[in-house]
Amino acid sequence: MKVAIFFLIILSISGATYFIVTASLAKEENISHIINVAGRERMLTQKISKKAIQIVYMNDANAEDELIAARHDFEQNLNGLIYGDDSLGLFTLANEELHLQLMHVEEHWKALKKDLDDVLSERGDQESLIQRINSVTDEMIEHLDSVVEMFENRGNQSLQGLTTRNTILVLFNLLFAIVLFTTWRLLVSLKKSEKKYRMLVDHSPLGIVISKDDQIQFVNKFALETLRYSNKNELIGKPIYITIDPECHALVKSRLEHVREQDEIADFVEEKLIKQDGATIFAEVMSLPFHVMGTNNTLTIFRDITEQKRSKSEMQHMFKELNDIKVALDMSNIVEITDDKGVILYANDKFCKVSKYSKEEVIGKTYKVINSGYHSKEFFAYLWKTIQAGRVWEGHVKNRAKDGSFYWVDTMIIPFINNEGKPYQYLTIRNDITDRKLAEKEIHLLATRDDLTKLANRRVFEKKLKEAIAHHQQIAVLFLDLDRFKYINDSLGHHIGDRLIKKVANRLRTVVSQVGFISRQGGDEFTILVTDKDRCFLSTLCQEIMDEIKKPYLIEGKEIVITCSIGISIFPEDGKTVEALMKNADVAMYYTKDQGKDNYSFYQNKMDYIPNKVMQMELDLRKAIEREEFVLHYQPKLDLRTDKIIGMEALIRWKHPTLGLISPLEFIPLAEETGLINLIGEWVLRTACLQNKKWHDDGYSSLTIAVNISAHQFRQANIVPKIAQILKETNLTPHFLELEITESIAMLNEEAIIEKLIELKKLGLKFAIDDFGTGYSSFKYLKKFPIDTLKIDRSFISTNETNQKEPSLMANAIISLAKSLTLEVVAEGIETSEQMAYLKKHRCDVGQGYLISRPLPATDLNGVLRDYYHKD
């Protein structure tokens, strides 16, 4: 009896041990999934840093959307790791050390989000933001690496634990078989002590059921609890099949028949049992013959293996995930495994694709096969020192492929540690970042070089200047600006302007590169740094620069001539800081422009008023429109055949409240640069049309009014409807409006210009080319454009005195050309009777100049009109 009791106790202990082991298996955390999420957080951190750089330095619109998406994913995963998230399969961490590391990440993330918002909204110093973002993301990556390392250590411990548990389970199964056999022997002898037998069986950690002819005769307490029945009477006398899943009925029937017919034990099989509430469990079941008091019964013993099955399924799922990770890693990363000496044991397909070596060519070799020679011995010494100490090494490595080409890889080398704590293998994971390195190089160039000219930019120039000041060198700063570049840029188009800037930069290199450092400040402004040179040398250099720049440029068949103005400041007398030297050189340049351009000037204190004067004039010009300070003067145009005034040219003047009458030569260029020319031009056109309509009403009904229109105005998309509206508002017949355009308008978009001219011509307007012969005209424009009149520039008339032939021949040639094209010809600048006689002799149609009348206000022209208009 003592022996029987001992074995039943063993039976109970072994069952309890088994369930403790399987329960611990079921509670293992899904470490692989958490590592996967933490690793993804690390990649998202790198991606966030990269996209911020692209937004600031490359102006990449797509990068903004990708940055916002990466931010959202990072924050969702981080919250899940810290606080748990069922949708992500994450639970709240119990480990305080892991939780602390993640809280550090969360603190950095809060700071990083503000900087990312500033990048997206373009607030603050973008370069400083990028530096701060890179610093914060590096710290976040360190904390995330610590998190991953902690989880990996826990994973290794869990796997070691699983190995130990498997050993226990093997011993348990052996013990369980012995116990079962012994139990069977005990049950035979229990006839003599049924009371003790029932007590032991009831308290067994295994389910025990006795049946006769498939009817339940006995069921122990453990079986009732497992199947969720409250008392034995709910099962005793019932068919044993009510506790068995229907899909297992055939298997159970076969097993019970075998026990009854063969009178021997049926081996353990797996079955599905049904609880009272309908739920199913998995059980490992064994049946054996059981003879009590002359009756043939069947003893069935089972143990619940549902949790074990679930743990096994989870382990299979984990191993599947690990395999999926390996596949994904192989597809997206370069992966190699080496021994502790660096000999390559494994290389994936990605390694072969990038390095252009086959696996056979690298297996058994060291990394020397792809060494580019770029990195120093110290670089590799530190790498080996790190990984041999059992630490992960990360960095960027430049390798050489089989064909000799170079490629960059973001590299992580992970040591595999043996039981002695020493590395025995190394796993290397690399990402090809060649494109990223090229982009970084491009970003560096963008940050230091002007994109159009490839000269140094303002930032680099100021850095060079600062270094020169620190060394107390003799320094000169030359500030160069092209004269009337905006006019060329607007007239010929920005693509021509860009090409002109590039050609100017190349000429500056030719003259300056051996003696100074050149940069482009932006637009048409350049700066030059010259050291250890005196004023005499600087004067010679400036003259060489001006002579070189003013040589003609041929761009797309157009010959362009441009000049420049240069301002010079010298250290230390003109300033001791970068800001002071740059400002004063700029002031000297403005002074040069104010003195007539195409020259150079050394800075003097008296020049400080020049920029202020320009700024004040711009401010006053804006107010002049509101205060109606502009007036029109009109210069008559005389028909040289009838000596009658046939029209007027409207000329704008600015009656400044303190400076008096200002010539358009002073303020029109400024109006064009500031964009105010469109408002001013519209005012001129409306005022001139109103005045001409008044003259018509006063009896001078055949007068034509001529209004100058600039290339800037003609570039407006709505110029045609705007002119039509003014004619409608002023009630002036379109035939009495003549628009004077310069030859430069023809160099705008040819097709667009022709279309606008034709539309205006259909309205009834006339067109004249002003200052003909001084620009870049081509005869094809005279044939293509709907022109009515050519105006001979005054320069071809003013020298027409005392029988000088060349100017006379030029004027005569223009008259002949106009006649051959059936165009009317107008001569400007007639100041003497000799000039008038010459033009009449050569059949010039119309004359204009001081000999006839100076430009006058409309009220002062009544007498002139009477004298000429009513001549017999």
Side-chain angles (χ1 to χ4, degrees):
M1 179 61 65
K2 291 181 179 180
V3 173
I5 293 172
F6 173 77
F7 277 115
L8 281 174
I9 292 172
I10 291 295
L11 178 65
S12 300
I13 293 172
S14 65
T17 302
Y18 175 81
F19 289 114
I20 291 170
V21 171
T22 54
S24 66
L25 278 171
K27 294 178 181 177
E28 283 298 326
E29 299 173 354
N30 194 343
I31 295 171
S32 170
H33 179 60
I34 299 176
I35 292 174
N36 195 7
V37 174
R40 174 167 171 74
E41 287 289 82
R42 187 186 189 282
M43 290 188 288
L44 284 171
T45 304
Q46 292 176 320
K47 182 175 182 180
I48 287 168
S49 175
K50 176 180 178 182
K51 295 304 172 186
I53 290 173
Q54 290 178 344
I55 291 170
V56 171
Y57 290 111
M58 301 181 70
N59 197 23
D60 187 346
N62 293 331
E64 294 187 9
D65 295 337
E66 293 175 9
L67 174 61
I68 293 169
R71 278 181 51 174
H72 175 268
D73 292 347
F74 181 95
E75 189 162 66
Q76 184 180 19
N77 290 342
L78 180 62
N79 289 335
L81 287 170
I82 298 174
Y83 306 108
D85 190 330
D86 292 338
S87 65
L88 296 177
L90 299 169
F91 49 84
T92 304
L93 295 175
N95 187 291
E96 290 185 5
E97 188 176 1
L98 281 169
H99 185 75
L100 180 61
Q101 288 290 343
L102 288 172
M103 291 305 293
H104 285 319
V105 175
E106 186 179 47
E107 289 176 8
H108 290 308
W109 174 242
K110 290 177 180 178
L112 181 60
K113 281 200 299 181
K114 182 180 182 302
D115 289 338
L116 293 176
D117 288 338
D118 289 342
V119 167
L120 290 169
S121 59
E122 299 182 357
R123 293 195 300 265
D125 183 349
Q126 297 291 290
E127 183 175 2
S128 298
L129 284 173
I130 289 299
Q131 292 176 353
R132 195 155 64 243
I133 287 170
N134 287 338
S135 174
V136 173
T137 52
D138 285 343
E139 294 182 20
M140 289 171 64
I141 288 172
E142 288 182 9
H143 289 302
L144 287 168
D145 286 344
S146 299
V147 171
V148 172
E149 185 176 355
M150 290 178 186
F151 273 115
E152 288 174 340
N153 290 339
R154 293 187 67 189
N156 290 336
Q157 294 169 5
S158 297
L159 289 174
Q160 292 172 2
L162 286 174
T163 302
T164 304
R165 290 168 191 153
N166 287 339
T167 304
I168 294 172
L169 286 175
V170 171
L171 294 174
F172 166 75
N173 286 334
L174 179 62
L175 175 62
F176 188 70
I178 295 172
V179 169
L180 287 175
F181 179 75
T182 307
T183 300
W184 175 70
R185 295 292 304 271
L186 285 171
L187 290 175
V188 174
S189 63
L190 279 178
K191 296 177 183 178
K192 299 179 181 179
S193 55
E194 183 177 353
K195 184 176 180 180
K196 291 183 179 181
Y197 144 73
R198 287 183 179 277
M199 182 183 69
L200 289 172
V201 170
D202 257 349
H203 290 83
S204 169
L206 299 174
I208 299 175
V209 178
I210 299 176
S211 61
K212 179 181 179 183
D213 298 329
D214 296 342
Q215 301 291 315
I216 297 174
Q217 304 298 314
F218 171 83
V219 57
N220 74 341
K221 183 178 181 181
F222 184 85
L224 285 173
E225 292 175 351
T226 302
L227 297 174
R228 295 290 190 272
Y229 284 91
S230 56
N231 60 71
K232 298 178 180 180
N233 294 330
E234 292 178 309
L235 285 176
I236 291 176
K238 302 292 178 61
I240 196 169
Y241 294 104
I242 69 169
T243 64
I244 299 168
D245 188 274
E247 66 183 50
C248 297
H249 283 182
L251 177 65
V252 173
K253 183 177 181 181
S254 174
R255 171 170 52 79
L256 294 178
E257 287 177 353
H258 174 81
V259 171
R260 286 195 294 266
E261 293 174 2
Q262 302 298 324
D263 197 26
E264 62 181 29
I265 298 173
D267 291 336
F268 273 109
V269 294
E270 184 179 302
E271 294 177 4
K272 288 174 67 176
L273 305 182
I274 302 177
K275 298 181 182 180
Q276 188 180 32
D277 58 10
T280 58
I281 62 170
F282 289 93
E284 198 170 47
V285 182
M286 182 185 75
S287 295
L288 62 157
F290 183 59
H291 306 295
V292 180
M293 300 177 67
T295 61
N296 298 324
N297 301 301
T298 301
L299 175 67
T300 299
I301 303 171
F302 71 88
R303 59 190 176 99
D304 187 352
I305 60 170
T306 304
E307 292 300 324
Q308 180 183 349
K309 288 275 288 185
R310 184 178 293 115
S311 296
K312 181 179 179 181
S313 175
E314 288 176 355
M315 287 294 292
Q316 289 173 340
H317 180 69
M318 183 183 75
F319 284 123
K320 181 180 182 302
E321 279 193 344
L322 289 174
N323 186 64
D324 290 343
I325 291 171
K326 177 185 177 301
V327 171
L329 199 62
D330 274 339
M331 290 179 65
S332 60
N333 297 87
I334 303 165
V335 180
E336 313 108 61
I337 297 177
T338 68
D339 65 11
D340 59 338
K341 301 295 190 299
V343 176
I344 299 173
L345 305 176
Y346 169 81
N348 70 347
D349 293 337
K350 192 88 171 180
F351 175 95
C352 298
K353 181 179 179 181
V354 174
S355 70
K356 299 180 174 59
Y357 285 100
S358 66
K359 291 184 180 180
E360 293 74 19
E361 290 175 310
V362 296
I363 300 297
K365 304 285 182 63
T366 66
Y367 281 124
K368 290 181 180 179
V369 71
I370 55 173
N371 189 351
S372 66
Y374 174 82
H375 302 283
S376 65
K377 291 181 180 179
E378 291 76 14
F379 175 87
F380 287 109
Y382 177 75
L383 184 157
W384 276 103
K385 181 180 179 181
T386 302
I387 61 177
Q388 286 176 341
R391 301 193 303 272
V392 174
W393 182 90
E394 288 187 82
H396 295 170
V397 182
K398 184 178 183 180
N399 289 334
R400 181 173 58 200
K402 184 178 179 181
D403 63 2
S405 62
F406 295 100
Y407 62 95
W408 281 91
V409 283
D410 184 10
T411 303
M412 177 188 293
I413 304 177
I414 305 168
F416 288 171
I417 310 300
N418 60 20
N419 293 333
E420 298 175 359
K422 296 180 179 180
Y424 67 93
Q425 279 184 353
Y426 300 105
L427 169 66
T428 302
I429 302 172
R430 308 177 190 267
N431 287 306
D432 187 351
I433 58 169
T434 306
D435 290 342
R436 171 180 157 190
K437 282 289 185 179
L438 292 174
E440 287 175 353
K441 184 177 180 181
E442 185 67 24
I443 290 171
H444 177 72
L445 287 175
L446 288 172
T448 60
R449 297 286 171 184
D450 171 57
D451 187 49
L452 179 64
T453 63
K454 308 308 177 187
L455 292 172
N457 62 12
R458 181 187 184 97
R459 183 182 305 164
V460 175
F461 182 85
E462 291 180 352
K463 181 180 178 183
K464 286 274 187 184
L465 179 55
K466 186 176 182 180
E467 291 171 355
I469 292 172
H471 289 88
H472 303 289
Q473 292 176 290
Q474 179 70 28
I475 304 164
V477 174
L478 280 62
F479 203 109
L480 182 151
D481 184 89
L482 300 179
D483 299 326
R484 290 182 62 78
F485 172 76
K486 181 173 176 57
Y487 176 77
I488 292 174
N489 203 38
D490 291 343
S491 299
L492 303 182
H494 293 289
H495 66 293
I496 297 290
D498 285 348
R499 291 186 61 182
L500 178 60
I501 290 293
K502 290 171 69 174
K503 287 181 178 290
V504 168
N506 290 335
R507 292 190 184 183
L508 283 174
R509 286 189 182 96
T510 302
V511 178
V512 179
S513 59
Q514 298 301 316
V515 295
F517 181 78
I518 316 167
S519 79
R520 182 186 179 212
Q521 296 292 297
D524 60 331
E525 295 178 338
F526 298 86
T527 51
I528 301 168
L529 175 63
V530 180
T531 58
D532 300 324
K533 302 296 180 182
D534 58 22
R535 286 177 178 256
C536 181
F537 175 86
L538 294 172
S539 296
T540 303
L541 177 63
C542 287
Q543 191 60 55
E544 290 177 359
I545 291 171
M546 292 188 300
D547 291 342
E548 185 66 25
I549 285 180
K550 71 173 62 172
K551 292 177 182 178
Y553 301 84
L554 186 64
I555 303 176
E556 294 187 6
K558 296 178 175 66
E559 187 178 277
I560 302 173
V561 177
I562 196 165
T563 59
C564 68
S565 298
I566 303 174
I568 308 163
S569 64
I570 296 176
F571 174 85
E573 52 261 43
D574 297 333
K576 296 182 180 180
T577 65
V578 171
E579 293 76 14
L581 289 169
M582 293 285 286
K583 171 184 171 293
N584 290 336
D586 192 20
V587 167
M589 183 272 294
Y590 269 107
Y591 180 82
T592 304
K593 283 187 177 290
D594 194 57
Q595 296 302 305
K597 306 180 177 65
D598 189 23
N599 208 337
Y600 65 91
S601 302
F602 288 90
Y603 172 76
Q604 300 175 50
N605 290 334
K606 69 176 183 178
M607 297 176 178
D608 287 330
Y609 82 96
I610 296 296
N612 294 331
K613 177 185 175 183
V614 174
M615 292 176 63
Q616 186 62 47
M617 181 172 283
E618 180 181 343
L619 182 61
D620 289 347
L621 192 59
R622 293 182 183 276
K623 293 179 180 178
I625 300 173
E626 302 171 6
R627 297 174 179 174
E628 299 181 353
E629 294 173 357
F630 294 113
V631 295
L632 288 186
H633 286 188
Y634 300 89
Q635 187 171 32
K637 295 164 69 175
L638 185 70
D639 189 328
L640 298 182
R641 295 159 296 190
T642 64
D643 284 339
K644 289 186 178 181
I645 293 178
I646 60 171
M648 298 285 184
E649 180 180 1
L651 300 168
I652 189 171
R653 300 289 185 267
W654 180 11
K655 293 182 67 174
H656 194 280
T658 57
L659 300 177
L661 209 60
I662 301 177
S663 166
L665 293 177
E666 291 188 57
F667 68 83
I668 289 299
L670 183 60
E672 290 178 342
E673 289 180 13
T674 56
L676 295 172
I677 190 65
N678 293 330
L679 286 174
I680 295 172
E682 187 175 340
W683 177 86
V684 170
L685 189 60
R686 180 177 284 104
T687 305
C689 288
L690 283 169
Q691 179 58 52
N692 200 35
K693 182 63 170 70
K694 186 176 185 303
W695 279 323
H696 284 190
D697 295 341
D698 289 343
Y700 306 110
S701 57
S702 61
L703 282 181
T704 297
I705 191 72
V707 178
N708 289 280
I709 184 166
S710 73
H712 295 79
Q713 291 173 263
F714 223 88
R715 292 177 65 201
Q716 298 177 89
N718 64 340
I719 186 66
V720 174
K722 185 173 289 186
I723 292 174
Q725 181 63 30
I726 289 173
L727 287 169
K728 182 178 180 181
E729 290 174 3
T730 59
N731 201 25
L732 179 67
T733 304
H735 178 72
F736 294 107
L737 174 61
E738 182 178 65
L739 297 182
E740 293 189 3
I741 61 177
T742 60
E743 294 168 271
S744 60
I745 288 183
M747 293 181 291
L748 299 174
N749 186 309
E750 182 179 325
E751 295 302 323
I753 292 301
I754 293 175
E755 184 178 339
K756 290 177 181 178
L757 290 175
I758 290 174
E759 287 184 49
L760 290 170
K761 192 70 175 177
K762 288 179 180 178
L763 293 177
L765 276 69
K766 296 178 181 179
F767 291 99
I769 291 186
D770 195 16
D771 302 331
F772 185 77
T774 61
Y776 310 98
S777 58
S778 170
F779 287 149
K780 73 173 183 178
Y781 296 130
L782 297 180
K783 295 179 67 177
K784 281 188 173 184
F785 289 5
I787 303 300
D788 301 285
T789 304
L790 292 183
K791 295 189 72 174
I792 305 174
D793 186 74
R794 66 182 64 247
S795 63
F796 301 130
I797 304 299
S798 61
T799 54
N800 185 20
E801 301 179 48
T802 63
N803 296 320
Q804 295 184 33
K805 292 184 178 181
E806 287 186 1
S808 304
L809 290 174
M810 179 61 73
N812 192 28
I814 296 174
I815 294 170
S816 298
L817 173 64
K819 295 298 181 182
S820 67
L821 296 173
T822 65
L823 299 175
E824 186 176 66
V825 61
V826 178
E828 294 183 292
I830 302 173
E831 298 179 358
T832 68
S833 57
E834 289 81 5
Q835 292 169 355
M836 177 80 81
Y838 180 88
L839 292 167
K840 286 184 176 182
K841 178 181 176 181
H842 289 86
R843 298 186 301 131
C844 181
D845 300 312
V846 179
Q848 187 178 348
Y850 282 9
L851 181 64
I852 302 165
S853 174
R854 292 175 176 271
L856 296 170
T859 54
D860 295 344
L861 280 169
N862 291 330
V864 178
L865 283 172
R866 281 195 303 269
D867 291 342
Y868 281 96
Y869 201 81
H870 298 294
K871 270 189 179 182
D872 295 329

